């Protein structure tokens, strides 16, 4: 192996290592936080549309029931998440390391 090949191999290794370091320290945690925030916004929207699922009376339930066929797949996952979640404060408290 010549010196030029060894240098090229080292540069490839260093680039992979730097990319992995950036992904692990900066990129991955940011994606995780963005996904959680998007999930919270989706949960809020679904709760505003279908509060009857949790026993909260709503005068607009008649109109939002028309959305149910379009949100069928999301509704089941949302309902499971909401029943499994301890509280909204618990979920938001995970953002801060108390």
């Amino acid at each position: 192996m010549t010196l030029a090949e060894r240098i090229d191999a080292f540069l490839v290794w260093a680039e992979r290592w730097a990319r992995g370091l950036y992904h692990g320290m900066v990129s991955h945690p940011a994606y995780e936080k963005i996904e959680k925030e998007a999930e919270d916004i989706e949960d809020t929207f679904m709760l505003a549309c279908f509060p009857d699922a949790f026993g909260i009376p709503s005068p607009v339930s008649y109109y939002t029931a028309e959305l149910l066929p379009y949100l069928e797949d999301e509704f089941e996952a949302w309902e499971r998440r909401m029943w499994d979640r301890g509280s909204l404060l618990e979920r938001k408290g995970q953002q801060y390391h108390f």
Side-chain angles (χ1 to χ4, degrees):
M1 187 181 236
T2 65
L3 182 60
E5 290 173 347
R6 289 176 62 193
I7 291 173
D8 288 339
F10 175 76
L11 290 176
V12 167
W13 175 84
E15 182 183 356
R16 286 183 187 163
W17 183 85
R19 187 174 294 143
L21 180 69
Y22 177 79
H23 178 73
M25 291 181 66
V26 178
S27 179
H28 180 68
Y31 288 135
E32 200 172 277
K33 288 182 181 183
I34 290 169
E35 286 173 356
K36 277 187 175 184
E37 189 63 31
E39 192 176 87
D40 287 344
I41 291 171
E42 182 182 342
D43 289 349
T44 304
F45 171 75
M46 294 291 279
L47 184 60
C49 288
F50 305 108
D52 291 337
F54 295 97
I56 303 169
S58 174
V60 296
S61 293
Y62 176 77
Y63 302 106
T64 58
E66 295 176 6
L67 296 173
L68 197 52
Y70 302 105
L71 300 172
E72 172 183 13
D73 297 331
E74 290 87 1
F75 185 80
E76 293 174 9
W78 166 73
E79 201 170 23
R80 259 186 266 111
R81 274 197 316 268
M82 293 302 284
W83 283 116
D84 290 342
R85 187 179 290 177
S87 71
L88 183 61
L89 292 175
E90 177 184 338
R91 171 73 178 227
K92 287 296 184 181
Q94 290 175 354
Q95 294 177 6
Y96 311 105
H97 303 287
F98 292 126

